[in-house]
């Protein structure tokens, strides 16, 4: 949510900032802006409403803005509509402090009133302008350093922020501060870089510093000094990023989403292989002792969006393979819910970014309650990865499209591995059964490849159906979990209203929405439930529905009921969702393309939701 970049070095800053913002546009794209300083001259602030391209046009791709030190921002609006006026950077009345911000200042009204009483005027509706003017106020009040002023402001601000500031009297420096919103810093060849996320600086350096909560930094040219809230200097160890810069490029695909759909075999294989030792699923490296695993009486899976849908699937798989009761919860609910305490619980937080505000808050709540926590996270060094007791890294590489595909698929595999490992440790699964399950998992990457070879039929079907007003997805058991994800993919990138229903629930309301020609997509991979779901298909067909069936090769009877059927390879039913989801992703993709929409950057959404 909102992307931040900063550069302080010897090259021209504007082009580097715009390039970094291009890599972060998935975080928000309703307006963008940069502020660049050329030595001791006043900073130049340029902003534009809409996509980053507008800002690029306005600045001749950065060439019309001189200076080697600057900050930039791409916005996902929270306070104030998307407009040039509300776009960042914002600045204090006399241009003394200029800054950009990602996050939400919860007490901005109260702070604004205080500043108004002290003579400040406000030109935008943003909480960011308040934060910047508060820093300016303390800077002038105490006549100290920028670090002192920021410290005073941080003590007063409630909420989350990644703040990046420039001070008129320190033209060769950038100052940053962070609480609960992501921010990384990097140094290479006497130059410094700031960003919300790794892809923005990957081509300059792979050595990055993760600034901690309530910490600050002074960013000079090629040197960074870190401070705690008391203003004392602190040391932060650099971390090396393994992702290569190409992974964050489109590599010939028209959209990141299609590229990432095609990267799923690799993401799944890499994630699986990280959990296999000597031919067995072995997660001992997570640091959970076997005794501990045997002791768990309850598992909570907590996540948001598609990661929550992984949790729904994992609930079926883990309960089935381990006999441990599993409860899957939306992080935004879990964090505020009263949980009767059972210390023998494991809380699994699933998050691609590792920064989702609700998931992070849920993790902290679990820790406060002394529950053991395990993060399934894609971004190394992210907040959830750092704060969870144990971390299982998915190896999906950088995911850029807002609609997740390869991260979702590798999260599924991670939960499958947890299910097999726990099942084996607890004696629920025999060695033979574990070997059989692993064998099935090993085949998933090549089975996904096979689905991807045959995508033209789906493209044709999507083009024919893309004017649909409503689409319903039905399935039972793990197929229901697949429909949740299929429906979310469709609605988020094609803007077609869609809903997923447990097939057995149809009769309790939704069936009244079925009209002549309404598209109903039915997922049927769970052998013992297929007949039941077919009955539900017949029920909606007799009310006029147009039916698509998604099933495994061999179930050719489905063609007797469905108007269009697509097939995935056969596998162990626990893992069929890893295959069923792929045609659903492709369908959503082709719907969006047929409707002429921006697949990678759907309206109003952001990839990483770092605000509540
Ligand atoms: C956003 C993204 C989704 C993602 C969800 C949770 O809504 O668009 O693709 O599933 O956030 O994100 P996380 O980074 O925690 O997995």
């Amino acid at each position: 949510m909102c992307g931040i970049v900063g550069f302080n070095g010897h090259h021209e800053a504007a082009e580097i900032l715009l390039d970094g913002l291009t890599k972060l546009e998935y975080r928000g794209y309703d307006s963008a802006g940069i502020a660049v300083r050329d030595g001791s001259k006043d900073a130049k602030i340029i902003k534009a409403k809409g996509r980053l391209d507008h800002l690029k046009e306005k600045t001749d791709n950065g060439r019309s803005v001189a200076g080697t030190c600057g900050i930039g921002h791409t916005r996902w609006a929270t306070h104030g509509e998307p407009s040039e006026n509300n776009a960042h950077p914002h600045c204090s009345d006399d241009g003394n402090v200029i800054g950009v911000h990602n996050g939400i200042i919860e007490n901005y009204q109260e702070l604004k009133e205080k500043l108004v009483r002290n003579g400040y005027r406000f030109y935008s509706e943003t909480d960011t302008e308040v934060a910047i003017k508060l820093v300016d106020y303390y800077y002038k009040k105490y006549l100290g350093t920028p670090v002192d002023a920021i410290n005073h402001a941080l003590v007063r601000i409630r909420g989350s922020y990644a703040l990046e500031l420039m001070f008129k009297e320190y033209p060769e420096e950038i100052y940053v501060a962070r609480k609960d919103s992501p921010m990384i810093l990097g140094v290479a060849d006497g130059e410094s870089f700031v960003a919300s996320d790794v892809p923005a600086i990957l081509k300059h350096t792979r050595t990055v510093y993760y600034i901690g909560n309530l910490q600050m930094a002074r960013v000079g040219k090629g040197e960074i000094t870190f401070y705690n809230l008391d203003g004392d200097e602190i040391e932060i160890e650099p971390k090396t990023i393994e992702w290569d810069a190409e992974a964050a490029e489109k590599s010939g695909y028209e959209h990141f989403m299609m590229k990432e759909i095609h990267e799923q075999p690799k993401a799944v294989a890499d994630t699986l292989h990280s959990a296999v030792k000597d031919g067995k699923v072995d997660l001992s490296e997570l640091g959970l002792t076997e005794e501990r695993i045997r002791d768990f009486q309850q598992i909570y899976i907590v996540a948001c969006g598609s990661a929550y849908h992984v949790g729904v699937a994992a609930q079926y798989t883990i309960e089935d393979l381990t006999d441990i009761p599993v409860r899957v919860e939306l992080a935004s609910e879990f964090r505020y819910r009263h949980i009767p305490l059972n210390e023998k619980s494991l809380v699994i937080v699933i998050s691609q970014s590792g920064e989702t505000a609700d998931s992070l808050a849920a993790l902290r709540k679990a820790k406060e309650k002394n529950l053991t926590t395990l993060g399934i996270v894609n971004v190394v060094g992210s907040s959830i990865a750092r704060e969870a007791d144990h971390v299982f890294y998915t190896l999906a590489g950088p995911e850029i499209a807002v609609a997740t595909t390869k991260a979702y698929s590798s999260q599924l595999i991670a939960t499958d591995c947890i299910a097999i490992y726990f099942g084996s440790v607890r004696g629920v699964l025999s060695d033979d059964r574990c070997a059989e399950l692993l064998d099935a998992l090993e085949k998933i990457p090549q089975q996904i490849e096979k689905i991807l070879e045959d995508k033209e039929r789906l493209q044709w079907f999507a083009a024919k159906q893309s004017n649909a007003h409503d689409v319903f997805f039905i399935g039972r058991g793990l197929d229901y979990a697949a429909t949740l994800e299929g429906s979310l993919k469709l609605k988020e990138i094609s803007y077609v209203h869609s809903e997923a229903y447990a097939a057995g629930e149809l009769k309790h309301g939704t069936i009244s929405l079925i009209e002549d020609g309404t598209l109903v997509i039915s997922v049927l991979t769970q052998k013992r439930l297929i007949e039941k779901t077919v009955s539900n298909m017949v029920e909606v067909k007799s009310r006029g529905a147009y039916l698509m069936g998604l099933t495994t090769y061999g179930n050719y009877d489905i063609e007797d009921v469905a108007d269009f059927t697509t097939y995935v390879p056969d596998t162990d039913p626990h893992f069929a969702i890893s295959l069923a989801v792929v045609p659903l992703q492709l369908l959503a993709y082709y719907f969006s393309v047929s409707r002429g929409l921006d697949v990678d950057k759907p309206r109003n959404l952001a990839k990483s939701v770092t605000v509540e």
Side-chain angles (χ1 to χ4, degrees):
M1 212 121 285
C2 296
I4 284 182
V5 293
F7 172 74
N8 191 7
H10 306 293
H11 289 87
E12 287 299 304
E15 287 172 52
I16 292 172
L17 294 173
L18 289 172
D19 181 63
L21 288 178
T22 309
K23 304 281 184 330
L24 293 184
E25 221 188 343
Y26 65 84
R27 299 182 65 85
Y29 29 82
D30 57 47
S31 59
I34 53 173
V36 177
R37 177 152 271 160
D38 190 5
S40 53
K41 289 186 210 150
D42 279 348
K44 206 165 169 190
I45 301 177
I46 308 103
K47 316 199 256 193
K49 185 181 166 187
R51 294 287 164 92
L52 189 60
D53 281 344
H54 298 174
L55 182 65
K56 288 182 178 167
E57 275 161 33
K58 215 168 167 181
T59 59
D60 187 18
N61 273 317
R63 284 185 284 270
S64 67
V65 192
T68 56
C69 177
I71 58 179
H73 187 266
T74 176
R75 180 168 186 249
W76 188 88
T78 54
H79 294 65
E81 55 162 12
S83 68
E84 191 169 318
N85 197 40
N86 287 331
H88 302 206
H90 287 287
C91 87
S92 61
D93 299 357
D94 54 2
N96 180 42
V97 184
I98 297 172
V100 295
H101 161 232
N102 169 30
I104 287 189
I105 312 289
E106 284 163 8
N107 57 338
Y108 84 106
Q109 270 306 357
E110 163 200 326
L111 296 171
K112 190 170 182 176
E113 281 158 25
K114 168 190 167 74
L115 290 165
V116 168
R117 284 197 301 276
N118 283 280
Y120 283 84
R121 295 284 162 269
F122 287 84
Y123 59 84
S124 79
E125 299 152 85
T126 65
D127 51 346
T128 304
E129 190 189 349
V130 176
I132 282 154
K133 292 185 173 170
L134 189 70
V135 173
D136 179 66
Y137 167 78
Y138 285 121
Y139 184 74
K140 288 174 180 149
K141 180 169 178 185
Y142 294 112
L143 299 172
T145 64
V147 169
D148 297 331
I150 298 169
N151 265 341
H152 278 106
L154 297 195
V155 171
R156 291 298 308 269
I157 289 174
R158 282 202 309 276
S160 60
Y161 45 79
L163 261 178
E164 197 184 14
L165 305 165
M166 297 199 295
F167 290 74
K168 198 173 192 163
E169 288 164 355
Y170 295 80
E172 301 285 296
E173 286 168 4
I174 295 171
Y175 289 84
V176 301
R178 170 183 182 272
K179 177 173 172 272
D180 292 345
S181 290
M183 175 181 274
I184 54 167
L185 298 106
V187 173
D189 304 327
E191 302 188 307
S192 301
F193 304 84
V194 182
S196 304
D197 199 357
V198 173
I201 60 175
L202 209 49
K203 82 176 191 204
H204 305 289
T205 178
R206 295 222 194 136
T207 308
V208 301
Y209 298 88
Y210 290 90
I211 180 168
N213 256 347
L214 291 170
Q215 292 177 349
M216 276 162 295
R218 180 167 58 84
V219 183
K221 291 189 190 301
E223 37 136 12
I224 302 178
T225 317
F226 295 96
Y227 302 89
N228 63 17
L229 199 52
D230 297 325
D232 299 329
E233 279 190 37
I234 51 169
E235 289 290 323
I236 294 184
E237 286 297 315
K239 294 251 167 15
T240 306
I241 303 291
E242 305 293 342
W243 296 350
D244 70 46
E246 271 213 358
E249 305 289 340
K250 274 191 211 157
S251 320
Y253 286 93
E254 203 180 333
H255 299 102
F256 277 112
M257 183 175 174
M258 191 48 111
K259 176 185 175 238
E260 289 160 5
I261 286 175
H262 278 83
E263 285 171 346
Q264 291 182 109
K266 182 172 174 356
V268 162
D270 288 353
T271 304
L272 176 61
H273 294 148
S274 75
V276 175
K277 313 245 152 19
D278 303 327
K280 284 185 175 168
V281 175
D282 180 349
L283 295 177
S284 50
E285 277 181 15
L286 295 185
L288 277 165
T289 61
E290 295 198 354
E291 195 189 341
R292 204 71 189 279
I293 292 170
R294 279 193 282 268
D295 222 26
F296 289 134
Q297 293 176 350
Q298 170 79 47
I299 293 179
Y300 293 96
I301 303 181
V302 188
C304 300
S306 295
Y308 169 77
H309 295 159
V310 171
V312 175
Q315 184 178 25
Y316 291 100
T317 315
I318 297 178
E319 284 191 338
D320 214 32
L321 300 183
T322 70
D323 278 346
I324 311 174
V326 180
R327 212 170 143 150
V328 54
E329 304 243 9
L330 291 163
S332 52
E333 291 296 314
F334 181 87
R335 65 182 291 189
Y336 294 118
R337 203 165 67 73
H338 168 70
I339 311 172
L341 187 68
N342 175 351
E343 285 196 1
K344 295 191 169 176
S345 301
L346 171 69
V347 177
I348 303 179
V349 180
I350 308 177
S351 175
Q352 186 284 128
S353 62
E355 300 292 351
T356 302
D358 285 323
S359 305
L360 182 58
L363 171 77
R364 288 181 180 161
K365 171 170 176 168
K367 287 186 74 175
E368 260 167 40
K369 299 232 166 215
N370 281 327
L371 306 184
T372 307
T373 56
L374 166 65
I376 298 180
V377 180
N378 195 43
V379 178
V380 174
S382 55
S383 300
I384 293 174
R386 280 181 291 157
E387 294 186 28
D389 300 324
H390 310 274
V391 187
F392 186 150
Y393 279 113
T394 48
L395 300 179
E399 191 177 63
I400 309 295
V402 166
T404 178
T405 51
K406 62 174 179 169
Y408 169 90
S409 288
S410 46
Q411 288 162 352
L412 276 180
I413 295 297
T415 58
D416 293 339
C417 291
I418 289 171
I420 297 174
Y421 184 60
F422 281 24
S424 154
V425 168
R426 293 168 68 99
V428 177
L429 301 176
S430 66
D431 285 354
D432 284 353
R433 180 71 179 127
C434 288
E436 204 175 87
L437 289 168
L438 178 57
D439 194 43
L441 276 181
E442 294 272 13
K443 292 199 179 93
I444 298 286
Q446 82 212 38
Q447 291 176 320
I448 296 178
E449 298 276 10
K450 187 164 158 54
I451 299 168
L452 293 175
E453 277 164 19
D454 186 26
K455 47 187 195 294
E456 282 69 27
R457 275 186 80 237
L458 282 166
Q459 183 173 12
W460 167 83
F461 180 72
K464 252 178 47 153
Q465 293 293 325
S466 63
N467 285 329
H469 284 290
D470 307 287
V471 180
F472 296 95
F473 289 76
I474 57 170
R476 287 170 185 256
L478 272 154
D479 288 335
Y480 168 55
T483 64
L484 287 171
E485 180 60 7
S487 169
L488 177 63
K489 285 283 88 77
L490 184 71
K491 78 178 84 168
E492 67 182 343
I493 61 172
S494 75
Y495 315 150
V496 173
H497 166 243
S498 71
E499 290 184 44
Y501 266 86
E505 274 293 293
L506 265 182
K507 293 194 265 311
H508 301 289
T510 317
I511 203 157
S512 67
L513 296 170
I514 305 294
E515 295 175 352
D516 246 1
T518 305
L519 177 58
V520 176
I521 299 175
S522 179
V523 181
L524 310 111
T525 67
Q526 302 296 301
K527 291 186 186 62
R528 65 193 177 90
L529 299 169
I530 285 184
E531 271 183 18
K532 305 269 175 212
T533 307
V534 167
S535 307
N536 301 125
M537 289 168 76
V538 173
E539 283 159 13
V540 287
K541 189 163 186 166
S542 63
R543 285 158 180 89
Y546 186 77
L547 281 176
M548 170 178 154
L550 165 51
T551 188
T552 38
Y553 285 106
N555 293 330
Y556 301 117
D557 293 354
I558 301 299
E559 291 192 19
D560 298 341
V561 188
D563 298 287
F564 174 83
T565 310
T566 192
Y567 296 93
V568 293
D570 200 8
T571 181
D572 185 281
H574 295 99
F575 313 138
I577 182 169
S578 284
L579 303 177
V581 75
V582 179
L584 299 180
Q585 295 167 341
L586 288 167
L587 200 66
Y589 175 85
Y590 288 127
F591 255 69
S592 178
V593 171
S594 297
R595 292 164 69 93
L597 301 172
D598 188 338
V599 177
D600 287 337
K601 299 188 197 88
R603 71 182 176 212
N604 303 339
L605 295 176
K607 180 138 194 83
S608 178
V609 182
T610 50
V611 294
E612 241 190 276

